[in-house]
Structure formats: structure tokens, C-alpha cells
Amino acid sequence: MKTESSETLEIGDTAPDFELENIEGEKVGLEDLNNYDGVLVVFMCNHCPFVHANLDEIKRLNQEYSSIAVVGINPNAETHPMDTEEKMPEFVGENDIDFQYLSDPEQKVAEAFDAKCTPDPFLLDMRHRVYYHGRLTDIEKPGDEASEFYMEEAIEKMLKRKNPPQEQEPSVGCSIKWKESDEK
């Protein structure tokens, strides 16, 4: 089912801080990424067809923009059998992922960002303020070919110190599988 992102965090807002474990069990925090010109935080998971459709683009951005830290965060680690922490290293290996892939088992980071779907990308500037929150490309469904590269355009503008894009294309993907609670 296709779900779109929300706009709770607005452009210019400071991103919520986080510290999560990567697939090697090492803690990685937003503060650890201070030496980059920006951070691309992508809420993603192992099984989502929308993530699979955009994975090559995430990897390409990671390769082409070495001054931008790319961090994948899995909010479904305890809520979907294909997305468990145990399956994350296999997903990384099978897909030749060379960016940080972190587990958010308590879903606190996804909740703080108000992430709604996978993938749900947030581009943060060097001060960790939201610069762009939206789609990576114009892919509407798995199998589509991208012809518009929204995130790349946003990164280029950010690196040139230009104002954020006026159009923030809402992310499209599978809904995050939230834990059952009285609060939701």
C-alpha cells in the first residue's frame, strides 16, 4: 500500500538527535556525522518494494556525494519478520550497501522524525537542519524508471548554499509497521 510522508518537521527545523546501532553492533549518532556537508537520513527496511526500487539511487547518491553522509534507518526491525536486526546484515551484503544501516527497534527515531513510509528521506544540512524532506526520484511504484531526481537536485542546491527547493515532493512507499501501543 502506498503511503505519503508528512510535513511535521519543517524546512529549517533542527533534526532530532539519535544514536542507534549499525549491523556490526556499533553505536552511530547524528553527532558522529558533524564533519560532513550534510546528512541524508533514509527510513528504509529490507522487504519494501519501494525501497528496492530506489536502492540503486540511494547507493548512487552515496557514491557521487562523498561529502554527504548517507544513513539508512530501519524502523521495522521488531515489527516485520523480513526486517529484523538479524536479517539486516544479509540485506546489506546481498545489495552491496556501503552506507550506514541502523536499527531503530524502539521506533523512537522514526517517531521523532515523524517518518511515515519506507523510503522516507530527510536531507539535513551541515548544521543538521532539515533542507529537503521528500522523494528521491519520481518513481511511483516498483518497476518504474526514474526520470526526475529530486534528492540529487536538492543536494546540488544545498552544496551551492542555495535556498531549499520550493517544492518538497512527498515521499512515497510502504507504511512503517508500527508497534501496537495505546499511544498510536
Side-chain angles (χ1 to χ4, degrees):
M1 182 175 152
K2 186 166 89 170
T3 301
E4 287 194 0
S5 61
S6 74
E7 291 301 323
T8 301
L9 273 180
E10 297 191 11
I11 303 310
D13 287 352
T14 300
D17 197 15
F18 62 82
E19 185 177 76
L20 298 169
E21 286 188 8
N22 64 18
I23 62 169
E24 285 89 27
E26 300 163 335
K27 296 267 188 194
V28 177
L30 188 56
E31 293 301 314
D32 297 326
L33 308 173
N34 284 341
N35 294 329
Y36 290 90
D37 291 330
V39 180
L40 175 56
V41 176
V42 183
F43 290 90
M44 56 185 276
C45 63
N46 306 342
H47 85 280
C48 175
F50 290 94
V51 169
H52 287 269
N54 283 281
L55 196 52
D56 284 342
E57 179 65 4
I58 299 168
K59 292 177 358 182
R60 185 184 72 78
L61 292 171
N62 184 52
Q63 291 287 317
E64 288 190 23
Y65 296 96
S66 59
S67 69
I68 304 293
V70 176
V71 178
I73 297 179
N74 178 2
N76 293 350
E78 290 195 358
T79 58
H80 193 283
M82 296 300 296
D83 295 334
T84 63
E85 290 177 333
E86 294 78 24
K87 292 192 182 278
M88 288 172 61
E90 180 181 326
F91 177 75
V92 166
E94 287 175 355
N95 292 287
D96 295 320
I97 293 172
D98 60 355
F99 54 85
Q100 293 285 348
Y101 190 30
L102 312 176
S103 176
D104 184 15
E106 299 302 315
Q107 300 182 314
K108 291 186 186 319
V109 178
E111 193 172 323
F113 273 80
D114 197 27
K116 297 291 185 201
C117 57
T118 56
D120 200 355
F122 293 78
L123 179 61
L124 312 178
D125 68 15
M126 66 189 332
R127 292 184 181 88
H128 301 162
R129 296 175 305 205
V130 178
Y131 184 86
Y132 175 80
H133 172 214
R135 285 184 211 180
L136 295 156
T137 66
D138 61 345
I139 291 176
E140 283 284 331
K141 61 185 185 306
D144 285 354
E145 281 290 319
S147 60
E148 297 284 330
F149 298 87
Y150 307 120
M151 187 59 70
E152 181 175 36
E153 291 169 15
I155 290 171
E156 287 287 338
K157 282 185 167 193
M158 185 182 76
L159 292 175
K160 293 175 182 170
R161 308 267 193 265
K162 294 186 176 185
N163 289 331
Q166 293 293 314
E167 293 289 319
Q168 301 274 321
E169 296 291 333
S171 304
V172 175
C174 297
S175 64
I176 290 175
K177 311 307 180 241
W178 296 103
K179 290 182 177 184
E180 295 294 322
S181 77
D182 297 333
E183 299 166 14
K184 291 270 176 207

